């Protein structure tokens, strides 16, 4: 069902890899709500070609950009503004990569070169995106930027590994850049702390299935799906939330504020 919440708005969506991606689901919902889109992903991810299906459905051009490359980002914003014939109203940052996680390194023995890459791709990339937009004055007044994060930034989830630190940094960048961009142009910047979802990035976490079931049992509403997340992002891109900024917003069916549930107690008593 469409409410036309994003009618006339123009946005860039980072990170749609395949149809399970949160960015993919969000792009579809934004399109349904009347937004015009530009899609982007790392050149290497685009070689899989999946994104072209999404581009067709959403009638959006695809512009490759590695989020750690400032030249790529500049070109992306230039081309997006040319395509839109003006400034940008919203951005979804849905990008992450845990190099040590991928290589199976335990948190206590991470490789620091890989870790730097992890932090650059997963966290400082939000700064790079915002800095590019800032330098080019690419965002319209009241534009909305959303990054996706996980509660491992606040609480220990051992197998989340270095990504826990990466998410804490991502949330800090959203808060700190949110201050400056708010003052300069009323741009709002928030992170959405999402329930676990079985995507390519999500499944990289060790013991992910157990993790998913635990979160489901620990959330009064159950886990929020990628489509639920897409709906929430739509509200954040809309004018209905124009005074919300610098927040880390939990979108997790109540998980973050639940100490224990009856379902978990029952499980422990078995
Ligand atoms: P995904 O694997 O579909 O998306 C991750 C995206 O990051 C991919 O499209 C990938 O190509 C892109 N990417 C990686 N390196 C890049 C680079 N150098 N330049 C540009 N793009 C690059 O997985 P998912 O789950 O949709 O992840 C999206 C976001 O949601 C991530 O920030 C993730 O940490 C976050 N998140 C995911 C949860 C989950 O359980 N799946 C839970 C909470 C947050």
């Amino acid at each position: 069902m469409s409410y036309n919440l994003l009618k006339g708005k123009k946005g860039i969506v980072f990170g749609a890899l395949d149809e399970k991606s949160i960015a993919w689901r969000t792009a579809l919902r934004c399109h349904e709500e009347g937004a015009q889109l530009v899609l982007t992903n790392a050149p290497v991810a685009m070689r899989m070609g999946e994104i072209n299906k999404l581009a067709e459905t959403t009638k959006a051009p695809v512009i490759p950009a590695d989020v750690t490359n400032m030249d790529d980002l500049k070109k992306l914003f230039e081309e997006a503004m040319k395509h839109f014939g003006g400034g940008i109203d919203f951005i979804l940052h849905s990008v992450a990569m845990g190099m040590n996680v991928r290589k199976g390194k335990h948190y206590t023995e991470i490789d620091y070169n890989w870790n730097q890459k992890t932090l650059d791709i997963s966290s400082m990339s939000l700064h790079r995106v915002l800095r590019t937009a800032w330098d080019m004055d690419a965002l319209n007044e009241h534009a909305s930027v959303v990054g996706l994060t996980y509660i491992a930034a606040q609480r220990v989830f051992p197998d989340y590994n270095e990504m826990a630190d990466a998410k804490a940094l991502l949330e800090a960048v959203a808060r700190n850049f949110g201050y400056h961009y708010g003052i300069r142009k009323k741009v709002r910047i928030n992170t959405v702390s999402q329930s676990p979802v079985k995507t390519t990035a999500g499944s990289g976490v060790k013991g992910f299935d157990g993790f998913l079931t635990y979160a489901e049992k620990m959330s009064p509403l159950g886990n929020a799906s990628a489509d639920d997340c897409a709906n929430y992002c739509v509200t954040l891109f809309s004018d209905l939330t124009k005074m919300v900024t610098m927040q880390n917003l939990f979108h997790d069916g109540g998980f973050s504020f639940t100490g224990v549930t009856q379902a978990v107690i029952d499980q422990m008593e078995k």
Side-chain angles (χ1 to χ4, degrees):
M1 183 164 156
S2 170
Y3 307 89
N4 270 331
L5 281 176
L6 304 182
K7 197 168 170 218
K9 293 206 184 287
K10 298 166 173 76
I12 303 182
V13 174
F14 286 79
L17 182 65
D18 56 35
E19 61 182 15
K20 290 197 216 106
S21 300
I22 299 172
W24 188 291
R25 313 312 305 170
T26 308
L28 287 177
R29 280 297 288 124
C30 290
H31 174 66
E32 277 172 22
E33 290 295 332
Q36 260 180 277
L37 299 176
V38 161
L39 304 172
T40 181
N41 208 327
V44 55
M46 299 207 335
R47 261 177 242 143
M48 290 161 62
E50 284 282 297
I51 199 170
N52 294 327
K53 286 190 229 157
L54 178 66
E56 217 171 284
T57 318
T58 58
K59 301 183 179 54
V62 183
I63 304 171
D66 179 330
V67 284
T68 62
N69 183 316
M70 294 307 275
D71 292 334
D72 280 10
L73 289 174
K74 186 161 181 267
K75 196 162 148 277
L76 165 68
F77 276 90
E78 276 167 1
E79 289 184 23
M81 285 170 80
K82 206 161 132 205
H83 171 72
F84 292 139
I88 290 146
D89 299 302
F90 66 88
I91 294 175
L92 177 70
H93 176 285
S94 183
V95 175
M97 166 74 76
M99 296 295 288
N100 283 286
V101 178
R102 214 172 166 192
K103 309 261 185 188
K105 279 266 184 192
H106 192 264
Y107 184 75
T108 53
E109 52 192 39
I110 54 173
D111 176 289
Y112 296 112
N113 288 325
W114 289 338
N115 181 244
Q116 280 204 347
K117 189 100 190 120
T118 296
L119 298 178
D120 201 8
I121 296 175
S122 311
S123 321
M124 291 313 290
S125 61
L126 179 62
H127 195 288
R128 289 176 182 274
V129 167
L130 291 165
R131 161 85 175 276
T132 307
W134 176 276
D135 286 348
M136 294 171 66
D137 196 18
L139 298 186
N140 292 331
E141 275 223 336
H142 294 294
S144 171
V145 180
V146 170
L148 294 178
T149 186
Y150 186 61
I151 193 176
Q154 287 80 30
R155 311 227 178 126
V156 176
F157 291 81
D159 290 333
Y160 209 66
N161 203 321
E162 62 179 348
M163 284 308 295
D165 300 345
K167 290 307 190 191
L169 179 57
L170 178 77
E171 292 172 20
V173 170
R175 188 165 54 242
N176 289 309
F177 224 123
Y179 169 83
H180 296 289
Y181 232 146
I183 287 186
R184 185 190 192 183
K185 223 168 168 187
K186 299 194 176 349
V187 168
R188 53 217 156 97
I189 307 173
N190 296 289
T191 46
V192 168
S193 188
Q194 164 64 22
S195 296
V197 179
K198 206 162 180 173
T199 60
T200 305
S203 315
V205 179
K206 207 173 121 208
F208 187 77
D209 287 338
F211 198 54
L212 197 80
T213 314
Y214 172 72
E216 174 77 21
K217 284 194 189 301
M218 274 291 285
S219 311
L221 300 182
N223 287 331
S225 69
D227 285 326
D228 293 323
C229 187
N231 281 327
Y232 192 38
C233 289
V234 164
T235 67
L236 290 171
F237 296 146
S238 82
D239 292 336
L240 298 177
T241 51
K242 78 181 203 307
M243 296 307 283
V244 181
T245 193
M246 299 158 64
Q247 303 297 312
N248 180 43
L249 304 160
F250 289 102
H251 181 257
D252 61 3
F255 177 87
S256 44
F257 278 75
T258 302
V260 75
T261 57
Q262 193 59 47
V264 170
I265 293 172
D266 291 348
Q267 189 76 26
M268 299 310 290
E269 282 181 338
K270 267 185 197 161

